Amino acid sequence: MSSDSESVVLPAPSPDQIYVTISALEAGHLTLPEKLFITEADPEKRATVPSLSFLIQHPSPPKSTNLVFDLGLKRDFSGYRDAQQHHITQRQPTIVSPDVAESLRKGGLSPEEIDTIILSHVHWDHVGTPLDFTQAEFVVGSGTIHLLAHGGGYLYPANIFNPDELPKDRTKELPPVRASDLQKAFENQTQHKWKPLAAFPAVVDFFGDGSVYVVDAPGHLFGHINLLARTGPKKWVYLGGDCCHDPRILKGEKGIAMYDDGRGRLRSVHVDTDEAAATIKRIAKLLKAGKVKEEGGGEVEVEVVVAHDKEWREANQGRFWPGKLS
């Protein structure tokens, strides 16, 4: 891993390098109180922010592969458990239309044409309505299936998740990053293998051609993952999910807020604040002008987008499907 003073070096393209196209998708909005997310916040300020989703199109012959990263909010909250409903009442107002399915249709693509859905994590504002996607394979980070069924400790009890959220016969979980020897033996037999890349200790080359990398991004929730994708020569996009909830944290202008956990201890919105801070630090290196290089020489441009960036959404309306980031 690079130190703070070193450049991040991304892999050079192959002679026949594949590039993907990325389009933002409207996927609903929720309202966040600043004091729970950033340091030095106005205690009364609440902001209604997007939960962004993205369509990634990979030119796989004989047709493109359509991949969606995150599904935003459900259009119908009625199926949520009481504990989930209580949490959602604290995030009002919410906007659930258009959701991902509607956004895709508006751009001329049906939910049935989506081949793969990768979820950054399974919080309620990212899982959307999986039933809309009848043909898609779902891909989640390690530990996610156990989390949905059993929860993850007193801050993340089982009753804030739905065990049947994802289609069991079409959901694949990535292998553990920190694996025992037995797990490593299993991992070596799977398509997806974790390897270091640039500032990141563990990524998966998802298509096997250097076009899209799944990045292990620990800290926010068990199984939290991000995507790093090539969109053209010298151009990359990093989709950060909930690595942080305000881009000012990535820029170093704000820190992660800490607050009482109800048991006299401090917590943040992350399951592991130290790991989340380390993940943010790695991603922040991609923002430093002149510090992101490509193997063989030259600088590359990396655009970083996090799920709840209101200003990015407002400034990039032309890049929503059928528009493109690249």
Side-chain angles (χ1 to χ4, degrees):
M1 187 188 307
S2 302
S3 70
D4 287 345
S5 62
E6 293 177 328
S7 298
V8 174
V9 180
L10 291 170
S14 64
D16 55 351
Q17 182 62 55
I18 297 292
Y19 298 100
V20 298
T21 59
I22 302 179
S23 303
L25 295 168
E26 295 283 13
H29 294 68
L30 69 162
T31 301
L32 303 179
E34 270 199 358
K35 64 182 180 181
L36 297 184
F37 295 92
I38 60 171
T39 54
E40 300 175 343
D42 179 341
E44 303 302 321
K45 186 174 181 180
R46 295 166 57 83
T48 299
V49 300
S51 189
L52 295 170
S53 174
F54 296 89
L55 170 65
I56 300 170
Q57 296 183 293
H58 181 281
S60 314
K63 69 177 186 67
S64 292
T65 295
N66 294 318
L67 184 159
V68 169
F69 181 64
D70 273 349
L71 292 179
L73 278 68
K74 291 187 190 301
R75 60 180 172 272
D76 180 4
F77 295 154
S78 63
Y80 279 128
R81 297 176 174 185
D82 289 346
Q84 293 168 309
Q85 297 281 7
H86 175 70
H87 177 77
I88 292 170
T89 63
Q90 301 172 47
R91 298 292 180 260
Q92 297 295 337
T94 57
I95 301 169
V96 298
S97 179
D99 65 358
V100 170
E102 187 178 348
S103 296
L104 289 168
R105 291 189 188 102
K106 283 183 176 179
L109 195 64
S110 75
E112 291 78 15
E113 294 177 272
I114 301 303
D115 303 291
T116 305
I117 293 170
I118 298 178
L119 297 179
S120 65
H121 64 298
V122 290
H123 274 150
W124 69 279
D125 55 322
H126 292 261
V127 296
T129 308
L131 290 175
D132 289 337
F133 302 90
T134 57
Q135 305 302 311
E137 176 182 271
F138 287 75
V139 177
V140 295
S142 178
T144 297
I145 294 173
H146 183 274
L147 178 68
L148 286 173
H150 305 288
Y154 78 95
L155 292 176
Y156 300 90
N159 63 3
I160 66 169
F161 301 100
N162 290 339
D164 57 352
E165 190 76 75
L166 304 177
K168 291 181 172 57
D169 60 334
R170 290 186 285 119
T171 299
K172 292 188 177 179
E173 184 174 282
L174 293 168
V177 175
R178 303 166 186 82
S180 67
D181 291 341
L182 180 62
Q183 288 170 326
K184 285 180 180 177
F186 169 76
E187 178 183 343
N188 289 336
Q189 299 173 19
T190 68
Q191 173 188 356
H192 298 130
K193 300 176 183 178
W194 297 105
K195 296 180 180 179
L197 180 81
F200 304 103
V203 306
V204 164
D205 186 350
F206 191 74
F207 290 105
D209 58 13
S211 64
V212 175
Y213 295 94
V214 178
V215 181
D216 179 48
H220 178 58
L221 187 67
F222 307 104
H224 186 252
I225 51 180
N226 293 170
L227 289 190
L228 174 65
R230 295 181 193 263
T231 57
K234 307 292 186 180
K235 288 189 175 181
W236 297 72
V237 172
Y238 188 95
L239 303 178
D242 275 4
C243 66
C244 64
H245 294 69
D246 189 306
R248 289 175 291 180
I249 296 175
L250 275 176
K251 297 171 185 175
E253 298 168 5
K254 297 287 185 178
I256 300 170
M258 304 295 292
Y259 55 93
D260 192 283
D261 69 352
R263 297 189 177 187
R265 290 175 290 187
L266 288 178
R267 63 159 298 187
S268 72
V269 294
H270 304 292
V271 67
D272 188 318
T273 306
D274 290 340
E275 277 205 330
T279 292
I280 289 167
K281 192 173 182 179
R282 294 183 193 109
I283 299 168
K285 293 178 182 180
L286 301 177
L287 296 175
K288 294 180 179 179
K291 289 291 186 180
V292 183
K293 308 291 185 181
E294 187 175 79
E295 290 173 353
E299 296 177 2
V300 296
E301 176 187 342
V302 184
E303 182 172 13
V304 179
V305 189
V306 295
H308 302 302
D309 191 339
K310 179 180 181 179
E311 291 184 3
W312 187 94
R313 174 188 172 274
E314 292 173 348
N316 289 279
Q317 284 297 296
R319 302 168 85 190
F320 281 72
W321 175 249
K324 296 177 174 62
L325 269 69
S326 48

